[in-house]
Amino acid sequence: GERSEEAPAERGPGAAFHMFVLMEDLLDKLKLLSYEEEALRRHNMRPLSRHYFALPTNPGEQFFMFGTLAAWLISKAGHPFEQPQEYDDPNAVISNVLSELRSF
């Protein structure tokens, strides 16, 4: 029978680079929303690199950046959302983000 999921090697030679393309698209969209001025300056954070979320370099820092951007985007969409703190429980942060997104 047919397999529902292909092995990574069977997806094609460009599949390994797809996450980098997605990250660049995300960064372009964040720049259109002025994330550097509105989200990063408020928290004294550096702008993202082209591959920030595509490569696991510092999971704690990357998760905090994700939480910061998620909170900013949710607030920008008109739903007040409290900025997660750096040492908040990751499961609680994700639960709060998902709960707020479901309310959209």
Side-chain angles (χ1 to χ4, degrees), residues 26-74:
L26 171 67
L27 192 55
D28 288 343
K29 291 173 184 173
L30 288 171
K31 285 180 180 180
L32 288 172
L33 293 171
S34 302
Y35 90 104
E36 292 169 324
E37 294 81 18
E38 294 182 22
L40 298 185
R41 283 200 184 134
R42 183 179 318 152
H43 301 288
N44 198 27
M45 300 171 100
R46 294 181 316 229
L48 301 177
S49 69
R50 293 183 322 138
H51 304 129
Y52 186 78
F53 290 117
L55 298 170
T57 54
N58 183 340
E61 176 187 299
Q62 288 171 308
F63 185 78
F64 180 63
M65 178 63 79
F66 164 78
T68 299
L69 292 173
W72 172 71
L73 288 167
I74 291 168

Side-chain angles (χ1 to χ4, degrees), residues 79 98-104:
H79 290 238
L98 289 175
S99 176
E100 192 62 38
L101 292 176
R102 284 185 192 106
S103 75
F104 276 60

